Amino acid sequence: KPVIYILFLLFQILGAVILGFGIWILADKTSFIAVLQMSSPSLKTAAYILIGVGALTMLMGFLGCLGAVNEIRCLLGLYFTCLMVILITQVAAGLVIYFQKETLKEELSHIAGSLIENYNPSNDDKRNLQDAWDYVQAQIACCGWTGAKDWENNEILINQSMTMYPCSCSNSSKDLQVDSGFCNLDVPVNSTATYADWPVHEQGCMDGVEKWLKDNLGVILGVCTGVAVIELLGMILSISLCKNIHSEDYTKVPKS
């Protein structure tokens, strides 16, 4: 009995973590996740799926515990089936991400490129999205997606003959207090300039994001593996309990 309670308690915690992660994706406004969430409908859909899976996992944990304690085979069978569906879905999602990583990379590049091209500090409609991108550039110490040259496609900077630059890209100490909008270049050459004249970080945000993923890959894989192991244990336990209940039912049949 204690093992049953511990395992199903783990499922309540697991469901709460997945549910919280989905809510965080929708609520976050100051990270690269926010940029993707506000720019890509697919990530917002994924967040709702995570919320649904988290809530379902918590419900299944409760029903599984109820079925185990009261020896209700149909609840244990439902618990096993839902766990199997969730596990298969997770594996399928992992395979899709792995085999479609180049497509996903192109989509990210398109999202970032469109955001940089249309970046306008006076546009209040996209203020949250632009603030999130400024936060990413300031925190990762990067500029543009592939590099500062991406900002040469921005309409406002083109109209200003590139004598301004994004403040969140700056590596200058005088811009530390300014983390959004555009800053003026101190000494524009002949009233014109290029991105090479800007006091900004050389690294593109794509490299920074990839570095973050590589640095945290072990943690991500560890969490995914832990989740899969817990789900497998739950499936094995539910099958074992079903068999035990089945065996006990036969032993209780009176002999003729």
Side-chain angles (χ1 to χ4, degrees), residues 9 18 26 38 47 79 92 119 138 225-226 232 244 248:
L9 176 61
I18 296 174
L26 291 178
M38 286 184 274
Y79 176 75
Y119 183 97
T225 302
L232 284 172
N244 288 337
E248 288 175 7

Side-chain angles (χ1 to χ4, degrees), residues 39-102:
S39 304
S40 175
S42 58
L43 186 64
K44 187 174 290 188
T45 302
Y48 286 120
I49 292 173
L50 284 173
I51 292 173
V53 169
L56 180 63
T57 301
M58 294 180 70
L59 177 63
M60 286 302 102
F62 172 75
L63 292 179
C65 185
L66 188 65
V69 172
N70 296 289
E71 298 184 345
I72 305 173
R73 294 189 66 199
C74 62
L75 285 181
L76 289 171
L78 178 63
Y79 176 75
F80 172 84
T81 303
C82 288
L83 275 184
M84 184 171 64
V85 170
I86 291 172
L87 184 60
I88 291 173
T89 302
Q90 289 172 345
V91 172
L95 290 174
V96 168
I97 291 173
Y98 179 79
F99 289 109
Q100 297 293 321
K101 56 186 178 182
E102 290 302 322

Side-chain angles (χ1 to χ4, degrees), residues 154-182:
N154 180 268
E155 296 177 9
I156 295 177
L157 295 182
I158 292 173
N159 291 336
Q160 294 294 324
S161 301
M162 311 307 290
T163 57
M164 301 172 68
Y165 60 91
C167 299
S168 57
C169 283
S170 178
N171 60 9
S172 173
S173 57
K174 74 179 184 66
D175 294 325
L176 289 178
Q177 302 301 318
V178 184
D179 55 6
S180 64
F182 294 124

